[in-house]
Every structure is written in C-alpha cells, then in structure tokens.
C-alpha cells in the first residue's frame, strides 16, 4: 500500500490526507508489547474509521467493528465476550464504554504531532493472524464472532480487483456500516487498487437523496449495496448512471429489481456469500433475458452441493451448499462447539475443511448456481443475516412470555418483515415488548408485528409448523372525510398508520421500532409532505423518528401559507433573506446565531401551479417570469420586514430571483443590502463540448413543440405533468431573463460550486455570466461541492464567514 493510496479518501466533498493519522494510530498501538491484539473499533463513519481499521491490519492486529448505533447492551455483550486489548474511539464515546477497558481517543491524536519514521504500509500476512472478527446474530441470543484470517481477506480482495474489477481510474462510494462484512470491500479494495474512496457519513448513507447526489456530483463508477438500498434509490427518483458498476448482494436479487437496475447502470453484478467465507464467494454479471443466479465461485473458492448423506447431488437436483477454499473463516470466536458443527472435514479432500452455509441450491442447465432459500432458521432482512433464535431468546427473557416463534412474512407491498408469534403467561403490551428488545437488539432485528396465539400448530414431525403460521391481521387504514377537521398531529398519525399498516401507534413511539425501515421512511416523509404540507429532511427524521419530535422540530409549522420562516433564534439586526427554500438553509442560519436573523423564503409554487393549470391561466401567472417571481417574493418579505434595505441570497434559479428582488429594493428604498448569488448559471456563459452540443440539440428538439399539452385530468393533473410544466416555465423564464436583464448598481457576490451535478457536456465561465449584470465587481468564493452541498457542513462554515465579511463591511 503506497503513500499515494493514503491520499484517495474523499469525505464531505473534500480530499482527506489520512496517512498521517494511520501512522499515529500505528505507533500508539505499537506501544503495546505484542502483536495479535484484539482492537475494538467504536467510531463514527469518518476518515478516522478508515484510518483505524487500516492501522490495525498494518500492525498485525485484529479489528472488531462496533456500531455506535447498536444498543448498549448488545455492545457490552460483545465486549464482555471478546474482551479487547484496547478500543479505538472518539472522545464523546469514552463514557459509554466500560471503565476498565483500555481506550485510545483518536480525536486527541494530532496530525502535527512528531512521530518516528513512517511504518510500512503493507498489511501483515501472518497466516495464523486474524484480520477481523465480525459479530453476527446467534441462535442462542448471544452474537457470535466470525474470525477471518488475513490470507482469506487478501484472497477476497485480489479476486474482487479482477472481477467485478476495480482500477485506479474508479471512484467507489462507501455506504455500508463497518459492522456489516461487505464494508471490507468498500474500505480496503480502493486503497489496494489506487481507486478513489468516497465515504458517506451515517446520515448521508441512510438518505437516498444524499446517495443520489453523491453518485452524480462525484461521478461515482462503482457502488455496492443491498437490494433494499437500490430499491430505495429507485423509489426516490434515481435515474441512473451509464458509467456505474452496480454490485448488489446481501439478499436475493429479484428479476424485477434487476431489470430496473439494468436500465440505470453500465454493469450489474449479483453477489453472494456468507460472512464465514469472507464477504462474497460467488458472483455473476447479470444480463437481460437470462435467469438470475448467484453465478460462479471467485478465485480459490470451491463449491459443493451435497445431500443429507454428504454425497454430491446430480446436476439440477437441490442440495445443501458447502463452500471450501482460501476464503474460509478460522471459526467462531471462543465457540468450538458451534465451529465444529458447521466447519466440517472435506469428505473429498483429506485435511481440508468446508463450511455448511445453510442455503439450498442447485446447478442450472448452463452450470450456474441457483439459490433456493434457507434450510435452517436464518433469514436475511434488508441484507442483514439474522438468527431467528436470537430474537426468540430475547423475547423469552420476559417472564410474561411462555413461548415465542419469530418468522419472516410478506405482509405489505411485497416487503419481507419479521413477525413474532407469542404464547403469553399474562398479557404484555407491544410497547413493552419493543422497549425490551430495543435494549438488546439492533432495530433491524425488532419484529414489525406481534401476533398472540393460544397454541402453535405442529407438523407431522411434531415441530412447529412455521409455513402455516397466520399472517398478521392488517386492515386498510381509511380516512373519513378529507381530513380538513384534523389537527397536524392527527394528520401525521394517520399517515404513520397508513404507511405502517397498523392502528396501534402513539405519538411518542419510534418509527424504526414499530416496523419502519429506510424505504418506508422515504414513503412516509413524502406522504406527510403531500397530506400535511410539512417538509421533514430524511436525515433529521433518522435522528428523531417520533411524531412529537417531528412536530416540535419542524420549522415550517402547520400553516401552509407561511412562506417566510425565521431559521435561527435571533431577532435583532438587518436580516438575511434566503430565497428558494427553508430546510436547505438551516445549517447556514445556525452560523448566524446571535448575530442577525436569517429567514428562509419559499413560496407555494406547486400549489399555485396546479391552481393555474386547473383554471387555464398559466400565461397570466406572475411566476412565468423571473421579474414576476421576484415581486412575489419581495411582497412576502415585506410582511416580515416592512421597509429598509436587507440582504438577499438565492441559489440556482433563486439567485436570479434574488438579483431582481435586490433591484426592486434599490428602486423603492434608494439603497439595497448585499446580494449573494449561489451557483446560478446564466445561459450565455455556457460553453458546450461536442457531446454537449448534441445533448442540447436533442433537448431543444424535445421541447420544440412548446409547453406541455393539456393534462389528462385538468382537475387533478398527475405529478409527471406538473413537473414537466414547472420545468418548462422555469426554462423559459431563465432564457428570457438572460436576454432582458439589466445591470444592478454596486457589487455582486457569487458563491460558485466547483461540482456541476447537472453538467451534460457543458462548462461555464468563472463568473457564470454575472460580470455583465453589475456596474461594480463580482466577488467570487469557490467551494468544492455541488450547489446543494455548499450549504452543508463542512463548506457552510466557509460560506457563512464569507457572507459575514461582506455584510460587516
């Protein structure tokens, strides 16, 4: 691993030199008198996490990933089992970890600190040493640690570099928690091959809009995720990338999802493998009009399909899948009984071992492998492998529960959910069950439904008949009337009930503890926006997924007509009005806390658009021009700041609106405040490549007929028509503004994003065309992100400092 490989990490849009941090951690670990240490990794998704796991392998030690989002009881159970020699963590987590454990606060390590000569960047290749121990669900209620040797990890990475393939020209987006073993590919393969690694933080990795933005703005060429994550991106409106290589694994890839992904990427690879054989063991490039399979084994991996007598089955006959070769784990940590049960002597090659996966497979006619499901009580939910027995054991620790069975069922919208079937000694509320499980299990292991039974039906073998367990009774949630008589809280509660398909929900329950997941969260927030008029950022919802908290924290309130909102707690001073959004400016507003008020201004554009479509008055609407929009914005601003100059800021098309609004203030007041334009591109500043000219010509051809025709239903136009009409109006308004706008007196301040996520073979002059529209100067600040990214950390701090400097002049 070269010095250059240490310079390939990108985090929050900025390139991070983390080689020094690796070196510092290596030397701190090396202060211990031996190698082969077990090192707990209790870190957030930051560059420190990548540095820490690399430092462990370089120094010949073993890393044990611990997810800070997992329940404390589960973390303590793992720590008690493995008893790590030391734990690498952040300062703010020190109090959460056992007081008798040795901890290193990586935040306290300064990159300027003087250290000895740099350590070798090569991973220790000791065949006896363990690279990592990942704890997975255990049937007895206790997580079990899978020990992966360094040569096994090395073989896996070498094989992945060749097929599906990763080179120094690639850009890989990492979205997986480090406690999930597929993160091994994301963290180590880019460094090994020289590819660039783009790391999303915890909130970004859960947010489909953030992932979509990162895929485009960073021109990502490779991304690995579970089918659930890919489905979430598609449902969020992801259109795809022609140069993207999609790796999909962790659970079954359906033909329907495969077709949708093939429409959105350059290559699609189906990945299969249990943790015990080092991440992925078989792979296949998916092609249209061919049945989905799990493909063929990776390098140095052997596949066996055996019957109950450990004999090879005939071609096409179902059997148990066993895997052998260099990828095998060294067994389970301190669990020799369990290790002997599934890591068995290879009956065909004396002296070697094979692993019983628990999966049923068969060879297809062309020799590829078809996976037919599980032969035991393990399941995969949203990519996580779960021992149903672990959940059952957790339920049985409650005195009220006499017996428990957990089984996956398809209850809603084709999604697989966990259902707990209970025989109770005495009634226990679902809230108590959820709270109890939440202290022990991560949220993906908490059942979505609880069904009470008098007894379990048995099959002919005297075992519980799992296949015939009753589905939870889910009735359709119907709203009586149009909802006008409901309060905001009642409306939100109705949407929760409808999305989760359950009646028994209270306003202080956690969405993810009562059956919610990331896909349903996206659906929930969209329906709340439509039905309640309330915009809730997905990242904020993940932090506080409770109805009461949503209402308390929502800055937009319950009044749909409220268009100007104070975004910080400051009321004194000349205000800064930010046009074109509310939530997008929240981090910027926080930077001005105590200094001046910052307002977000966002007019009910789509509501008015629909109204004008219904009345057939689009051509008369003031919003068809930038000048008209500016007048409408200024009228609402004056409701909160009746007179006098004020500072105006706008992003994208709102930058042009801000320009015209500032001119109106100058005309009416004789003076204006400062004008800030965020990444607003004027058409005349555009420069087209040959590809851009072709794209532009095709786009013009598409719109040659003018605005969209009449909607199919004028009284209730569909979303596609509304979006087409909105885009047409905005495009026309920008083109006209570019031709007729006259210069403004005084200076303009332009904040330019260096990444243009919408570029189609085009570039722009440095001033984006604004030099022609001022009698003064254009002061430019460049920030390394797209025009939404520069409004978020870490860039928003630089942005705020720039605004303050110009305002305070």
């Amino acid at each position: 691993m070269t010095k250059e490989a240490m310079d390939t990490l990108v985090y929050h849009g900025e390139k991070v030199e983390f080689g020094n941090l690796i070196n510092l951690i290596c030397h701190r670990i090396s202060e211990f008198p031996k190698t082969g240490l077990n090192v707990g990794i209790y870190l957030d998704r930051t560059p420190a996490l990548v540095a820490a796991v690399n430092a462990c392998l370089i120094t010949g030690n073993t890393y044990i990933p611990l997810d800070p989002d997992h329940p404390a009881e589960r973390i303590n159970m793992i720590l008690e089992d493995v008893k790590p020699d030391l734990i690498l963590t952040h300062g703010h987590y020190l109090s959460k970890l056992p007081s008798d454990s040795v901890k290193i606060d990586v935040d306290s390590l300064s990159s300027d600190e003087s250290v000895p000569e740099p350590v070798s960047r090569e991973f220790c290749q000791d065949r006896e040493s363990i690279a990592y121990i990942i704890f997975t669900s255990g049937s007895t209620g206790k997580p079990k640690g899978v020990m992966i040797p360094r040569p096994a990890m090395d073989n896996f990475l070498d094989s992945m570099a060749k097929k599906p393939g990763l080179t120094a020209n690639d850009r890989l987006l990492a979205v997986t928690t480090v406690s999930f073993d597929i993160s091994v590919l994301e963290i180590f393969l880019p460094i090994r091959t020289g590819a660039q690694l783009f790391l999303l933080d915890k909130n970004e990795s859960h947010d489909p809009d953030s992932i979509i933005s990162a895929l485009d703005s960073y021109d990502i060429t490779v991304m690995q995720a579970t089918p659930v994550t890919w489905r979430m991106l598609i449902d969020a409106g992801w259109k795809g990338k022609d140069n993207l290589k999609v790796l999909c694994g962790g659970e079954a890839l359906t033909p329907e999802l495969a077709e949708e992904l093939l429409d959105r990427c350059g290559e699609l690879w189906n990945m299969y493998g249990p943790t015990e054989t080092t991440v992925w063991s078989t792979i296949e490039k998916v092609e249209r009009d061919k049945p989905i399979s799990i493909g063929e084994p990776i390098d140095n991996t052997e596949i066996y399909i055996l019957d109950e007598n450990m004999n090879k089955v005939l071609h096409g006959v179902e059997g148990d899948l066993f895997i052998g070769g260099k990828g095998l784990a060294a067994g389970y940590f301190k669990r020799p009984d369990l290790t002997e049960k599934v890591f068995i002597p290879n009956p065909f090659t004396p002296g070697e071992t094979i692993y019983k996966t628990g999966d049923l497979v068969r060879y297809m006619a062309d020799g590829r492998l078809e996976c037919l499901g599980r032969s035991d009580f393990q399941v995969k939910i949203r990519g996580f492998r779960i021992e149903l027995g672990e959940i059952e054991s957790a339920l049985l620790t409650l005195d009220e529960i006499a017996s428990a069975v957990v089984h996956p069922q398809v209850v809603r919208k084709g999604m697989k959910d966990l259902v707990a079937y209970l025989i109770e000694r005495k009634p226990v509320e679902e809230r108590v069950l959820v709270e109890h499980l939440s202290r022990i299990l991560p949220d993906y292991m908490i059942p979505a439904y609880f069904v009470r039974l008098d007894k379990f039906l048995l099959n002919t073998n005297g075992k519980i008949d799992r296949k015939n367990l009753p589905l939870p009774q889910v009735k359709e949630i119907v709203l009586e009337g149009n909802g006008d008589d409901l309060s905001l809280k009642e409306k939100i509660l109705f949407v929760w009930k409808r999305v989760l398909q359950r009646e028994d929900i209270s306003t202080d329950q956690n969405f993810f503890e009562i059956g919610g997941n990331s896909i349903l969260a996206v659906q929930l927030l969209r329906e709340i926006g439509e039905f309640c008029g309330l915009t809730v950022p997905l990242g904020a919802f993940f932090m506080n997924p409770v109805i009461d908290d949503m209402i308390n924290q929502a800055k937009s309130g319950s009044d749909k007509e409220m268009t100007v909102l104070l975004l910080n707690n400051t009321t004194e001073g000349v205000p800064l009005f930010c046009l074109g959004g509310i939530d997008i400016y929240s981090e910027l507003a926080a930077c001005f806390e105590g200094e001046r008020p910052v307002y977000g201004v966002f007019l009910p554009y789509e509501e008015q658009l629909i109204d004008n479509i219904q009345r057939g008055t689009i051509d008369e609407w003031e919003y068809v021009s930038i000048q008209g929009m500016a007048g409408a914005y200024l009228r609402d601003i004056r409701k909160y700041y009746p007179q006098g100059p004020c500072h105006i800021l706008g992003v994208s098309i709102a930058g042009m609106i801000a320009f015209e609004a500032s001119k109106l203030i100058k005309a009416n007041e004789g003076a204006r405040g400062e004008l800030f334009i965020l990444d607003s591109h004027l058409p005349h500043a555009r420069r087209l490549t040959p590809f851009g000219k072709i794209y532009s010509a095709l786009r013009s051809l598409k719109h040659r007929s003018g605005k969209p025709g009449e909607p199919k239903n004028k009284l209730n136009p569909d979303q596609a028509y509304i979006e087409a009409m909105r885009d047409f109006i905005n495009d026309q308004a920008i083109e006209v503004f570019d031709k007729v706008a006259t210069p403004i007196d005084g200076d303009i301040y332009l904040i330019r994003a260096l990444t243009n996520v919408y570029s189609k073979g085009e570039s722009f002059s440095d001033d984006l065309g604004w030099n022609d529209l001022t009698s003064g100067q254009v002061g430019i600040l460049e920030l390394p992100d797209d025009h939404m990214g520069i409004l978020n950390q870490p860039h928003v701090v630089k942005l705020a400092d720039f605004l303050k400097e110009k305002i305070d002049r």
Side-chain angles (χ1 to χ4, degrees):
M1 184 164 45
T2 65
K3 170 80 167 59
E4 288 70 24
M6 293 294 96
D7 299 324
T8 59
L9 176 64
V10 178
Y11 183 69
H12 285 166
E14 294 191 345
K15 200 171 186 179
V16 177
E17 161 44 66
F18 68 117
N20 288 340
L21 183 55
I22 288 181
N23 204 40
L24 289 165
I25 296 174
C26 284
H27 283 288
R28 285 299 305 274
I29 294 176
S30 298
E31 292 174 2
F32 289 77
K34 63 174 184 176
T35 58
L37 301 171
N38 288 329
V39 182
I41 305 293
Y42 194 75
L43 293 166
D44 295 326
R45 287 182 62 81
T46 69
L49 172 65
V50 181
V53 295
N54 275 279
C56 287
L57 298 187
I58 289 168
T59 53
N61 297 297
T62 302
Y63 78 87
I64 299 100
L66 305 165
D67 191 332
D69 286 339
H70 283 181
E73 187 169 335
R74 183 178 180 84
I75 296 296
N76 290 334
M77 194 181 299
I78 294 173
L79 293 177
E80 180 62 29
D81 187 17
V82 76
K83 292 182 171 57
D85 299 283
L86 68 143
I87 303 173
L88 300 177
T89 188
H90 299 293
H92 56 273
Y93 287 141
L94 292 174
S95 61
K96 292 187 176 183
L97 296 168
S99 57
D100 59 348
S101 61
V102 179
K103 299 175 280 288
I104 293 177
D105 175 8
V106 297
D107 299 330
S108 67
L109 301 179
S110 169
S111 60
D112 298 326
E113 184 178 328
S114 176
V115 295
E117 287 296 315
V119 297
S120 168
R121 297 297 171 84
E122 295 298 327
F123 293 164
C124 172
Q125 295 299 314
D126 181 357
R127 188 162 293 277
E128 299 301 320
S129 64
I130 301 298
Y132 59 88
I133 304 174
I134 278 189
F135 279 78
T136 66
S137 177
S139 60
T140 62
K142 181 180 180 181
K144 58 180 184 286
V146 181
M147 301 184 293
I148 300 297
R150 295 174 188 276
M153 187 179 108
D154 194 56
N155 178 73
F156 164 72
L157 294 173
D158 284 346
S159 183
M160 291 298 102
K162 291 184 285 186
K163 186 178 177 181
L166 195 75
T167 72
N169 296 321
D170 279 311
R171 303 155 74 85
L172 184 145
L173 186 66
V175 300
T176 309
T177 171
V178 73
S179 64
F180 192 178
D181 71 325
I182 72 174
S183 64
V184 170
L185 182 148
E186 296 177 355
I187 292 175
F188 297 109
L189 191 58
I191 293 175
R192 175 170 293 232
T193 61
Q196 277 195 291
L197 167 60
F198 292 77
L199 181 71
L200 294 189
D201 65 27
K202 181 186 74 173
N203 289 335
E204 293 170 330
S205 64
H206 286 127
D207 181 0
D209 291 332
S210 294
I211 297 174
I212 292 170
S213 175
L215 285 169
D216 292 335
S217 60
Y218 302 141
D219 192 21
I220 298 300
T221 61
V222 180
M223 178 175 144
Q224 167 190 254
T226 63
V228 167
T229 298
W230 290 116
R231 165 56 58 194
M232 180 175 69
L233 296 186
I234 292 171
D235 290 345
W238 179 54
K239 303 303 182 185
K241 287 179 87 275
D242 291 341
N243 66 337
L244 180 66
K245 183 181 295 183
V246 166
L247 310 185
C248 186
E251 55 189 330
L253 172 63
T254 64
E256 295 77 14
L257 178 58
E259 284 298 318
E260 292 189 80
L261 287 173
L262 286 169
D263 289 338
R264 290 169 169 82
C265 69
E267 291 182 16
L268 170 61
W269 290 79
N270 191 26
M271 322 290 282
Y272 165 84
T275 301
E276 287 83 350
T277 59
T278 312
V279 194
W280 305 130
S281 297
T282 68
I283 60 174
E284 175 177 71
K285 186 177 180 181
V286 181
E287 298 179 10
R288 293 187 190 275
D289 303 323
K290 288 184 67 174
I292 300 292
S293 86
I294 58 174
E296 299 176 343
I298 69 169
D299 289 349
N300 302 304
T301 300
E302 299 156 1
I303 297 296
Y304 301 89
I305 306 177
L306 308 179
D307 62 19
E308 58 186 10
N309 297 315
M310 298 298 288
N311 295 316
K312 294 181 179 179
V313 302
L314 296 175
H315 199 90
V317 176
E318 173 185 302
D320 284 298
L321 174 62
F322 291 77
I323 298 177
K326 289 187 176 181
L328 256 62
Y332 298 110
F333 184 74
K334 296 197 296 190
R335 298 290 299 276
D337 54 334
L338 186 57
T339 299
E340 291 176 6
K341 185 177 179 180
V342 294
F343 290 90
I344 62 176
N346 187 335
F348 310 103
T349 308
E352 294 188 0
T353 301
I354 55 176
Y355 169 72
K356 182 179 182 180
T357 67
D359 284 322
L360 296 172
V361 300
R362 67 181 179 90
Y363 280 116
M364 302 169 71
D366 57 6
R368 297 178 302 142
L369 285 168
E370 180 183 13
C371 190
L372 305 172
R374 296 292 299 175
S375 62
D376 56 17
F377 295 146
Q378 280 186 4
V379 298
K380 280 200 171 182
I381 298 291
R382 294 184 286 285
F384 292 95
R385 194 177 74 185
I386 296 170
E387 292 271 8
L388 299 176
E390 181 173 359
I391 308 172
E392 295 167 356
S393 296
L395 286 165
L396 292 174
T397 58
L398 284 171
D399 293 337
E400 295 88 345
I401 305 300
S403 185
V405 169
V406 178
H407 190 69
Q409 300 277 26
V410 176
V411 181
R412 54 191 174 184
K413 297 185 179 181
M415 297 179 63
K416 187 184 293 183
D417 286 305
L418 293 175
V419 181
Y421 297 87
L422 308 174
I423 296 176
E424 299 172 315
R425 294 189 178 94
K426 60 181 181 180
V428 55
E429 292 182 10
E430 183 172 315
R431 175 192 297 273
V432 175
L433 295 170
V434 170
E435 290 176 351
H436 174 73
L437 294 177
S438 297
R439 290 191 292 269
I440 305 172
L441 305 173
D443 57 49
Y444 62 82
M445 293 180 68
I446 297 174
Y449 302 94
F450 295 86
V451 177
R452 276 76 174 180
L453 300 175
D454 294 328
K455 63 179 182 180
F456 292 122
L457 296 177
L458 305 181
N459 58 26
T460 54
N461 294 326
K463 298 180 180 180
I464 293 174
D465 188 356
R466 290 174 177 261
K467 292 184 178 179
N468 290 311
L469 288 167
L471 285 172
Q473 295 299 309
V474 178
K475 68 177 184 179
E476 185 178 358
I477 309 298
V478 179
L479 179 67
E480 295 183 4
N482 57 16
D484 288 345
D485 57 340
L486 298 179
S487 67
L488 176 63
K489 181 178 289 191
E490 289 170 331
K491 287 182 177 181
I492 295 175
L493 183 59
F494 164 72
V495 176
W496 276 49
K497 290 179 178 180
R498 198 161 76 82
V499 170
L500 293 173
Q501 293 187 338
R502 57 191 304 166
E503 285 277 9
D504 52 336
I505 295 175
S506 62
T507 60
D508 60 347
Q509 287 181 292
N510 185 303
F511 179 79
F512 298 102
E513 293 177 356
I514 55 175
N517 57 52
S518 55
I519 289 180
L520 291 176
V522 173
Q523 178 188 341
L524 176 86
L525 297 187
R526 291 188 175 194
E527 293 197 13
I528 285 176
E530 294 171 2
F531 184 59
C532 308
L534 187 67
T535 300
V536 182
L538 188 62
F541 180 70
F542 272 101
M543 298 298 292
N544 294 286
V546 177
I547 291 177
D548 287 339
D549 289 342
M550 289 175 69
I551 294 173
N552 292 336
Q553 294 183 9
K555 297 184 175 117
S556 58
S558 60
D559 184 359
K560 288 186 179 181
E561 298 305 315
M562 186 176 292
T563 57
V564 182
L565 296 170
L566 181 63
L567 302 183
N568 58 10
N569 297 313
T570 306
T571 56
E572 298 296 324
V574 177
L576 170 65
F577 288 95
C578 301
L579 311 190
I582 300 293
D583 295 308
I584 61 173
Y585 296 117
S586 58
E587 292 190 33
L588 177 64
C591 296
F592 283 89
E593 193 74 56
E595 297 182 33
R596 70 179 63 251
V598 177
Y599 290 90
V601 190
F602 190 80
L603 301 189
Y605 183 95
E606 289 199 359
E607 291 180 24
Q608 292 193 26
L609 175 58
I610 293 170
D611 182 56
N612 279 277
I613 291 172
Q614 292 170 338
R615 291 188 287 112
T617 54
I618 287 291
D619 293 337
E620 303 168 19
W621 189 29
E622 64 183 331
Y623 282 22
V624 297
S625 71
I626 298 296
Q627 291 79 6
M629 294 185 210
Y633 270 95
L634 188 56
R635 282 199 306 272
D636 278 33
I637 287 172
R638 285 311 188 197
K639 295 176 184 178
Y640 293 83
Y641 195 68
Q643 62 183 9
C646 55
H647 310 296
I648 307 282
L649 177 150
V651 61
S652 193
I653 187 175
M656 303 174 204
I657 298 170
F659 174 87
E660 289 295 334
S662 191
K663 285 175 67 176
L664 286 173
I665 292 174
K666 175 68 182 298
N668 294 332
E669 303 289 340
R672 64 174 178 86
E674 302 297 351
L675 170 61
F676 300 99
I677 296 172
L678 271 66
D679 209 42
S680 182
H681 303 71
L682 296 179
H684 77 266
R686 183 173 57 177
R687 308 288 184 266
L688 295 176
T689 64
F691 168 77
K693 291 178 181 178
I694 295 172
Y695 177 82
S696 181
L698 291 174
R699 192 168 185 271
S700 297
L701 184 63
K702 179 181 178 182
H703 295 294
R704 180 179 294 174
S705 60
K707 67 183 179 183
E710 292 297 317
K712 295 178 182 178
N713 184 344
K714 194 169 185 178
L715 294 179
N716 187 24
D718 62 32
Q719 190 65 29
Y721 180 84
I722 294 169
E723 291 177 0
M725 181 59 78
R726 179 200 60 202
D727 292 343
F728 170 78
I729 291 172
N730 286 346
D731 287 347
Q732 292 292 103
I734 291 170
E735 291 292 338
V736 172
F737 172 83
D738 194 42
K739 295 175 182 176
V740 305
T742 58
I744 194 172
D745 291 336
D747 297 336
I748 294 175
Y749 296 107
L750 173 67
I751 296 87
R752 184 184 178 200
L754 294 179
T755 301
N756 179 9
V757 297
Y758 302 108
S759 175
K760 296 291 184 180
E762 63 184 14
S763 62
F764 289 84
S765 58
D766 290 343
D767 70 325
L768 305 185
W770 289 99
N771 265 327
D772 300 329
L773 289 180
T774 175
S775 64
Q777 301 294 318
V778 176
I780 299 177
L781 170 68
E782 294 183 334
L783 293 173
D785 211 318
D786 61 60
H787 68 237
M788 289 293 109
I790 62 178
L791 286 165
N792 300 320
Q793 295 288 356
H795 314 298
V796 71
V797 175
K798 296 178 182 178
L799 170 60
D801 288 344
F802 179 78
L803 303 185
K804 291 175 185 179
E805 176 193 347
K806 304 309 177 186
I807 290 174
D808 292 343
R809 288 189 317 165

